[in-house]
Amino acid sequence: MSTAQGMTETERRIVAVWAADCAERVLPLFDAEAPDDDRARDAIARARAFARGELTAAGEIRRRFVAGRAAHSAASPAGVAAARSAAQAAGVAHMGAHALGAAAYAVKAVELTHPEDPDARAAEVRWQLAALSPEVASALRRLPPLGSDTAGPLGPGLLASGTLGEVIREIQAALGA
């Protein structure tokens, strides 16, 4: 592990399940817009296969950008966010901090789908927090606070701003991280 955002391989395998669960909840938003594009669905399946020990981190590092390209097949911002959630879930094999990216993009997809519902975002975050096993919560607590470590997805980039950053900060606060 070259950065605190990386986690051990065992932790990444544990956290990958939760990341895949978060992404899978919004996958129908992408599938409805791009039914012939299986890259997002495949990314979630690969995250689960990695979690089971069927795929290696090295192999997944080589394929980590495939699912992200699926976002170009989406027609709406919610579909794009759903595809990016799946890509972040697949990225957990490479770096554990991507799990928070998967969760944040899933929340963004839900929020974009239900702009008239002021509780949509909070309800999705509550579901995500309730879905955390003690082992996943423990691994996520060891991640650095968003924006404090520049060597990874939790650095000052895309995940640190806007809705994504707000959601990650909310999850980290709820974890006591």
Side-chain angles (χ1 to χ4, degrees):
M1 167 172 56
S2 61
T3 171
Q5 294 185 47
M7 299 182 176
T8 66
E9 185 167 323
T10 299
E11 289 171 327
R12 290 192 317 271
R13 289 187 190 283
I14 292 167
V15 169
V17 174
W18 178 73
D21 290 347
C22 290
E24 196 163 54
R25 283 176 56 86
V26 295
L27 182 63
L29 300 173
F30 175 78
D31 283 344
E33 296 178 12
D36 297 327
D37 189 336
D38 64 353
R39 293 176 290 185
R41 180 168 301 284
D42 182 60
I44 294 169
R46 286 193 341 265
R48 292 191 187 288
F50 173 75
R52 293 188 301 268
E54 298 167 5
L55 298 174
T56 65
E60 290 309 288
I61 287 168
R62 286 190 295 275
R63 292 190 291 217
R64 70 184 182 271
F65 297 116
V66 172
R69 293 183 197 112
H72 299 295
S73 296
S76 72
V80 168
R84 289 186 177 152
S85 179
Q88 291 282 318
V92 170
H94 170 245
M95 191 168 281
H98 285 293
L100 292 174
Y105 272 113
V107 169
K108 182 175 181 174
V110 167
E111 189 173 44
L112 288 166
T113 302
H114 303 287
E116 75 293 341
D117 182 356
D119 191 48
R121 174 177 165 167
E124 188 63 16
V125 171
R126 281 192 303 272
W127 180 90
Q128 291 175 349
L129 291 169
L132 288 169
S133 71
E135 296 81 13
V136 172
S138 177
L140 292 176
R141 273 189 205 98
R142 285 193 285 282
L143 290 171
L146 182 66
S148 69
D149 176 4
T150 60
L154 297 181
L158 187 60
L159 292 180
S161 62
T163 297
L164 302 174
E166 292 168 7
V167 170
I168 291 172
R169 284 182 188 90
E170 185 175 343
I171 291 170
Q172 287 191 312
L175 290 168

